[in-house]
Amino acid sequence: MEKPAASIEPQGPRPVLGRESVQVPDDQDFHSFRSECEAEVGWNLTYSKAGVSVWVQAVEMDRALHKIKCRMECRDVPAETLYDVLHDIEYRKKWDSNVIETFDIARLTVNADVGYYSWRCPKPLKNRDVITLRSWLPMGTDYIIMNYSVKHPKYPPRKDLVRAVSIQTGYLIQSTGPKSCVITYLAQVDPKGSLPKWVVNKSSQFLAPKAMKKMYKACVKYPEWKQKHQPHFKPWLHPEQSPLPSLALSELSVQHADSLENIDESAVAESREERMGGAGGEGSDDDTSLT
């Protein structure tokens, strides 16, 4: 498998919160992300059961930041399969019950692109969307995929959705054997608004673990699904396959949270449907769509 370079010209370490211009992450950025995924100091364990652990971290800043880290042991799933699942946008539409709409917009380099993702939030909160610059790097038998928010002139915020901001979000996939791996999901997101405490608690105690388990089930079913759906089409491994138009970095700008409308939902009560566990598809483990 060809390994794309992290970037053509390393720019040196850049603090995530201080990024002022759009840049494709370099080797040092990937190393910093990996280090934070593996860090333990400053993280509070909120969930640990059946091979899934969740940590949260309070970020003391002048805006409400949500920072969460999830780790899951994946037996019977090779690291390269999990990597494919996270990249395969058509398959995500099958297994991600929270997705409203997702699509790739343009290619930046052999290992970076720009994409759109919108998702359902726990009722009765408003749904969110995001435009991100995503980059990826295979490292032997390990892999990293990470993103941060950018502004694209053709995709401004929509009136029916709240534009959230990914300060830094991504996955570290570490192989633990020929058919097993560990995945760490790290998200630092400004949801644009004051979220009620029940949302934060539910995210760490219920939604995050359930999403990880759903991802695991999707990974188990992926090889069979992929055999029926363009089995050799994997542009994340073979950049020459990418059908996306090229885009210059100068066309993008950093999406700062303070430039977006702030939505105060701190007083919103959890709906009865949410309490019963049936909203947004999260109350069901039906996997019939994965065939």
Side-chain angles (χ1 to χ4, degrees):
M1 180 178 67
E2 180 183 350
K3 299 178 186 177
S7 67
I8 297 175
E9 296 182 13
Q11 302 292 323
R14 291 184 293 275
V16 173
L17 299 180
R19 185 182 279 116
E20 292 300 329
S21 62
V22 175
Q23 298 168 333
V24 174
D26 60 27
D27 287 330
Q28 290 173 310
D29 291 314
F30 282 105
H31 176 75
S32 295
F33 179 80
R34 181 176 188 138
S35 296
E36 185 156 16
C37 284
E38 296 175 339
E40 297 180 2
V41 177
W43 290 91
N44 299 316
L45 183 68
T46 61
Y47 180 97
S48 183
K49 185 178 179 182
V52 178
S53 300
V54 181
W55 296 263
V56 295
Q57 186 180 79
V59 181
E60 297 298 332
M61 292 186 66
D62 59 353
R63 53 180 172 236
L65 293 180
H66 179 55
K67 199 167 186 181
I68 189 170
K69 179 161 60 178
C70 310
R71 185 170 295 143
M72 177 173 63
E73 300 171 9
C74 300
R75 299 175 182 176
D76 303 318
V77 174
E80 57 267 27
T81 297
L82 185 40
Y83 183 63
D84 287 350
V85 167
L86 292 174
H87 269 291
D88 198 321
I89 197 168
E90 293 305 317
Y91 190 56
R92 176 172 284 272
K93 296 173 184 176
K94 297 289 185 180
W95 67 266
D96 186 352
S97 59
N98 289 322
V99 67
I100 298 174
E101 185 179 15
T102 183
F103 53 86
D104 298 326
I105 297 172
R107 176 168 51 93
L108 299 172
T109 67
V110 294
N111 69 313
D113 61 18
V114 179
Y116 175 85
Y117 181 79
S118 58
W119 69 96
R120 299 177 182 88
C121 290
K123 293 182 180 179
L125 300 182
K126 293 183 178 180
N127 295 330
R128 262 70 174 172
D129 73 349
V130 68
I131 302 283
T132 61
L133 185 159
R134 182 182 61 162
S135 55
W136 54 92
L137 184 67
M139 302 168 294
T141 57
D142 297 344
Y143 306 86
I144 288 178
I145 305 173
M146 60 185 188
N147 71 61
Y148 67 91
S149 281
V150 294
K151 287 193 284 188
H152 190 292
K154 294 184 179 179
Y155 298 94
R158 292 165 44 171
K159 293 183 178 180
D160 59 328
L161 297 167
V162 176
R163 178 61 52 88
V165 176
S166 167
I167 296 168
Q168 187 174 55
T169 302
Y171 301 90
L172 169 63
I173 306 167
Q174 297 170 291
S175 177
T176 55
K179 294 184 178 181
S180 63
C181 64
V182 172
I183 181 171
T184 303
Y185 168 72
L186 176 65
Q188 186 169 351
V189 175
D190 189 328
K192 286 315 299 172
S194 302
L195 295 177
K197 190 174 182 180
W198 67 263
V199 173
V200 178
N201 290 340
K202 186 163 189 173
S203 294
S204 61
Q205 297 286 346
F206 177 73
L207 297 182
K210 195 170 186 67
M212 296 294 273
K213 293 171 185 175
K214 181 162 288 190
M215 182 193 302
Y216 172 77
K217 290 182 179 180
C219 289
V220 172
K221 293 175 177 287
Y222 181 70
E224 181 181 358
W225 180 90
K226 188 61 175 172
Q227 281 299 316
K228 303 174 184 176
H229 301 83
Q230 295 183 287
H232 302 295
F233 181 70
K234 296 183 178 182
W236 52 92
L237 299 180
H238 310 291
E240 68 278 3
Q241 294 180 346
S242 177
L244 297 175
S246 296
L247 182 71
L249 284 175
S250 59
E251 295 292 312
L252 304 171
S253 56
V254 177
Q255 178 66 78
H256 293 291
D258 52 15
S259 69
L260 293 169
E261 180 184 3
N262 211 51
I263 308 297
D264 186 359
E265 296 178 301
S266 58
V268 174
E270 186 174 16
S271 69
R272 183 176 183 278
E273 184 181 4
E274 272 294 319
R275 289 196 300 272
M276 298 300 290
E282 283 296 344
S284 172
D285 283 323
D286 181 16
D287 294 324
T288 55
S289 63
L290 301 183
T291 56

